[in-house]
Every structure is written in C-alpha cells, then in structure tokens.
Amino acid sequence: MKPLPKPVLDARTAYATCISKARPAKTKARLQKREDQVATAAADYEKAAAGAALHTLDHLKSQPDGDDENVTGNKALTGCYTSRMARKGSPGRALYEQLLAAAKGLCPLCGHGYANTLDHNLPKASYPLLAVTPANLVPACLTCNHAKGESAPASAAEQTLHPYFDDITDHAWLAARLTAPPGPGVFHYVNPHPDWTPTLTARVTQHFRTFKLGNPYSAQVGTELGALNDYLRSKPYTAIVDELQHRAASPWYVTSGYLNEWDD
C-alpha cells in the first residue's frame, strides 16, 4: 500500500459543487438542506479514519432516511456521486479527476495496477452521506475496487489500510519465499514488524488478503524469474554466480526504490 496526501478539498465544498446545477430549483433546495449533515458526517469520518476506528460509524449507516427517496433521501445522495461527480461533464467531474490524478497512475491499494477509478473506502450504498466526501474516495484500479466491493469493517482489525491516513512504508513487512520446482516462483506473505500493535498487524494482513496482493506479486516475480532462468541456463556456474551477485548489489534492478515491493 502506498500512502497518498489527504485531499485538501473539504466535503462541504465538494458536495456544494456537485449539487450546484441540480434541477428543478426545489430539488436543489432540498439537497442543499443536507449540506450540514454531509459536512458533519465527513468530520466524523476523518476523525475515525485517523484512529483506525471506522467501525464505530454505525450512526452514519443508511442516513439520512429522507421522506422522499428521489429527492432528499439516500438515493439522491448516492446519485450525487454517480450523476453529479463521476459522470463526464457533470459539475463535480473536475473534482473526480483531481482525486484520481493524485495517484499518478498507480493504484495505492496494491501498488501494482493502474488507478483508473475511485473507490469508496466506506461504501456509498451503506453510507450515503459520505458519497462525495473526498477523504472517502481513494484512487484505485478496477481489480482492487471489485475485490473490496461493498464491504465495511465491523472491527478495527477488519479495517483495510487507508492511503490517506496510514503509512507503513518505514518498515519492511512484505516477505517472500521461493516455491518448489518444476518452475521458479515466489510466495509472498505478511511478516509483521515487531513494533507493530496487534491491531495494525491484523489490518495489514486483512489488506493483503482483501486485495489478494500475493497473486499479482507472485505472478510478476514468476515471470521475472522465468526470464532470468532462460538467460542463465546456458552460462557456466561462475558466470551465473557473478551475474546474481551483481544484480543483488545493483540498485538498477530495483524497479520502485521503495520497501515492500514485489521486486525487493
């Protein structure tokens, strides 16, 4: 997981932008009445996310239950994302693209795929008030977006890592071991740092499992090792040793330059 700077844009401004062209005027007025609720929910969310306590936001689930589902209720709020933010040409589309651009093309959830969509850290279907809250919208690849689905944590241990609020890049925690023949391969797993709390260890493990990070990492390494095997097969033993030692010592062969990458 790669950390990202938390969006500067606040939820109230994002929501106001998204509903700015709502029509008719009566619909817009009703949506505007939700602005304070959206801002309050966003503040609760950011406080909980910073403390790995998103599971404590049950009071925001399925809120608000408006009297008119098409205008003031949950459907209207989730529609602010789909129709007023994600849709091309919508009032909030520039905000959508701004959030997506922060990833610089790389999915922060897996560090492997191309970030071409936004993932609701807490699903909009269950938390409509957070549908366009910038801090709840994380750039992601489609694979990670689908892997997470509509899940929400029921405890601190079940909360996946949040790129805006979690940074575990100071410690090496991704480990790997070679798999047995017939083909070269690597099995990746979480090796928790001794300074981690049990909750953080559980969260990193949950993140690794939820997004199935072992699969793309192992596949990438398998391809790399297969090519290396073909390259070295015809060389004498001393040349093989020299080549492997050279690769191990050379920073050129480390693609990312970061800890906890598949090629480290």
Side-chain angles (χ1 to χ4, degrees):
M1 194 279 294
K2 294 181 179 296
L4 291 177
K6 185 165 70 72
V8 176
L9 184 68
D10 65 280
R12 184 184 294 275
T13 302
Y15 180 72
T17 300
C18 290
I19 68 172
S20 61
K21 295 184 179 181
R23 296 291 183 273
K26 184 181 293 187
T27 296
K28 183 176 181 179
R30 289 178 177 176
L31 286 170
Q32 286 174 327
K33 289 181 180 180
R34 299 295 186 190
E35 188 174 304
D36 286 343
Q37 288 177 281
V38 168
T40 299
D44 289 351
Y45 172 85
E46 292 198 28
K47 182 178 179 180
L54 291 179
H55 61 289
T56 66
L57 298 179
D58 283 352
H59 62 287
L60 297 181
K61 281 187 176 179
S62 302
Q63 295 297 321
D65 285 320
D67 57 326
D68 184 341
E69 190 66 15
N70 291 318
V71 179
T72 58
N74 300 348
K75 185 177 180 181
L77 288 174
T78 57
C80 283
Y81 175 79
T82 55
S83 299
R84 305 180 191 279
M85 188 181 209
R87 180 178 294 174
K88 291 184 178 180
S90 64
R93 180 65 187 193
L95 307 180
Y96 180 97
E97 294 178 352
Q98 178 182 330
L99 292 169
L100 197 58
K104 298 180 180 179
L106 189 63
C107 175
L109 299 176
C110 65
H112 180 80
Y114 177 66
N116 54 2
T117 189
L118 294 180
D119 174 69
H120 285 80
N121 187 263
L122 288 183
K124 64 182 182 299
S126 300
Y127 299 86
L129 288 169
L130 301 174
V132 295
T133 295
N136 190 44
L137 297 172
V138 178
C141 63
L142 288 176
T143 299
C144 285
N145 188 292
H146 292 160
K148 186 168 170 288
E150 297 294 316
S151 63
S155 67
E158 293 180 14
Q159 184 178 326
T160 57
L161 298 174
H162 197 312
Y164 298 147
F165 297 93
D166 297 305
D167 186 352
I168 57 170
T169 57
D170 289 341
H171 298 131
W173 55 265
L174 181 63
R177 63 172 178 265
L178 289 172
T179 58
V186 169
F187 173 78
H188 288 83
Y189 59 95
V190 174
N191 183 30
H193 191 273
D195 291 344
W196 286 1
T197 63
T199 297
L200 180 56
T201 296
R203 291 184 61 211
V204 175
T205 302
Q206 177 74 6
H207 189 96
F208 193 84
R209 290 173 178 171
T210 297
F211 298 108
K212 301 178 176 63
L213 299 188
N215 295 339
Y217 294 171
S218 296
Q220 192 72 42
V221 174
T223 300
E224 185 82 6
L225 290 178
L228 179 60
N229 180 64
D230 292 341
Y231 172 70
L232 296 176
R233 182 173 295 174
S234 62
K235 295 185 177 295
Y237 176 77
T238 54
I240 293 175
V241 172
D242 289 343
E243 177 67 18
L244 293 178
Q245 288 179 339
H246 170 68
R247 288 178 178 238
S250 174
W252 187 88
Y253 289 102
V254 179
T255 303
S256 63
Y258 295 99
L259 287 175
N260 306 306
E261 297 297 324
W262 64 265
D263 54 359
D264 286 346

